[in-house]
Amino acid sequence: MKDYSVFDVVGPNMIGPSSSHTAGAARLGRMAAKIAGDNVKKVRFLLHGSFAETYKGHGTDKALVGGILGFSPEDDRIKTSFDIANERGVEFEFIPIDLGDDKHPNTVKIVMNTEDGRTVEVMGASIGGGNIKVTEINGLEIEFTGAYPTLIVKQWDVPGAAAHITNCVAKNNINIAFMSIYREQRGNEAFTIIEADDHIDTNVIKDIKANDKLIQDAFIIEGF
């Protein structure tokens, strides 16, 4: 039997009428921006299912933009996120779309253009109670929730990469709760996702990125 927390029962503090459509949406936008490097200049939100049907009335649109701007679900600035985005020069667009029958009804694909010319795509779903699940990064199927402090490493799929990452994690006294490695094909790009029991010190990023022959990028996601 599942153990329910107080958070599951009463829901999160948030701006808006629905935890799935506002709190979850804000977390998805904030997570996507973090994955892109927090320098998003243009973003398209491809909205699926109930997100596509009710995004205006439930405030999903303002919550997603607020998340891209770095606002947490309880941040009152979400109410004026469109105006703030315009002031900051961040372009945004909402596109209702069918992403497929296998997708959760509260799914959004977030396509971001960054200041340094990159395009980053993140797909995820708001799964209830303000909780989220990220299911794709740049078309690669993955899965993590952001419920734990999370280390995400983009690496080359070559011998020694996983060992290097885990050695750095152990060196920094990080206890791993969950760890997964995802790749599209052998020898190409891969992602290692480590969810930890406690705070992840930024020193681990320096240690991991020190080997640039194996590692492309690494970052920490906390507080979601």
Side-chain angles (χ1 to χ4, degrees):
M1 184 175 72
K2 178 182 176 182
D3 292 327
Y4 289 90
S5 69
V6 172
F7 183 87
D8 294 320
V9 176
V10 304
N13 293 325
M14 62 185 185
I15 304 297
S18 164
S19 60
S20 292
H21 286 251
T22 53
R27 286 196 172 97
L28 283 168
R30 194 168 169 224
M31 180 77 76
K34 185 69 175 178
I35 291 170
D38 287 323
N39 60 351
V40 177
K41 295 301 294 179
K42 183 177 180 180
V43 57
R44 288 181 295 143
F45 300 101
L46 309 184
L47 302 158
H48 172 78
S50 61
F51 264 10
E53 296 167 4
T54 64
Y55 70 95
K56 291 182 179 179
H58 283 184
T60 306
D61 49 0
K62 292 181 179 179
L64 285 167
V65 172
I68 290 292
L69 297 174
F71 303 160
S72 62
E74 64 274 10
D75 195 319
D76 198 57
R77 291 176 295 174
I78 285 177
K79 296 176 182 178
T80 56
S81 61
F82 288 3
D83 294 334
I84 297 170
N86 289 330
E87 290 170 3
R88 295 186 184 180
V90 178
E91 300 177 38
F92 55 91
E93 181 182 7
F94 302 95
I95 304 172
I97 193 171
D98 185 354
L99 293 171
D101 294 338
D102 60 332
K103 300 297 186 294
H104 189 283
N106 294 333
T107 293
V108 58
K109 184 174 184 179
I110 303 174
V111 183
M112 297 161 286
N113 299 111
T114 66
E115 292 178 352
D116 54 359
R118 293 174 298 114
T119 299
V120 181
E121 298 182 1
V122 175
M123 185 185 295
S126 178
I127 58 176
N131 299 301
I132 66 171
K133 179 170 65 175
V134 177
T135 56
E136 282 188 18
I137 298 178
N138 291 341
L140 180 64
E141 293 186 4
I142 62 167
E143 185 173 323
F144 70 96
T145 66
Y148 292 82
T150 303
L151 171 66
I152 300 178
V153 183
K154 185 179 180 182
Q155 77 236 36
W156 295 110
D157 178 42
V158 293
H164 169 66
I165 294 166
T166 54
N167 285 339
C168 292
V169 168
K171 173 186 172 183
N172 285 272
N173 199 34
I174 296 169
N175 195 49
I176 298 173
F178 307 99
M179 176 175 171
S180 301
I181 299 176
Y182 302 89
R183 68 178 188 180
E184 283 190 338
Q185 61 185 37
R186 183 176 179 180
N188 209 329
E189 293 180 348
F191 283 91
T192 294
I193 297 177
I194 294 175
E195 297 175 276
D197 287 325
D198 301 301
H199 169 74
I200 301 175
D201 193 281
T202 55
N203 284 330
V204 73
I205 298 295
K206 298 175 185 177
D207 292 339
I208 290 172
K209 294 174 74 172
N211 191 331
D212 57 8
K213 293 182 179 179
L214 299 177
I215 305 301
Q216 299 183 50
D217 198 7
F219 53 91
I220 297 165
I221 294 176
E222 292 194 83
F224 285 82

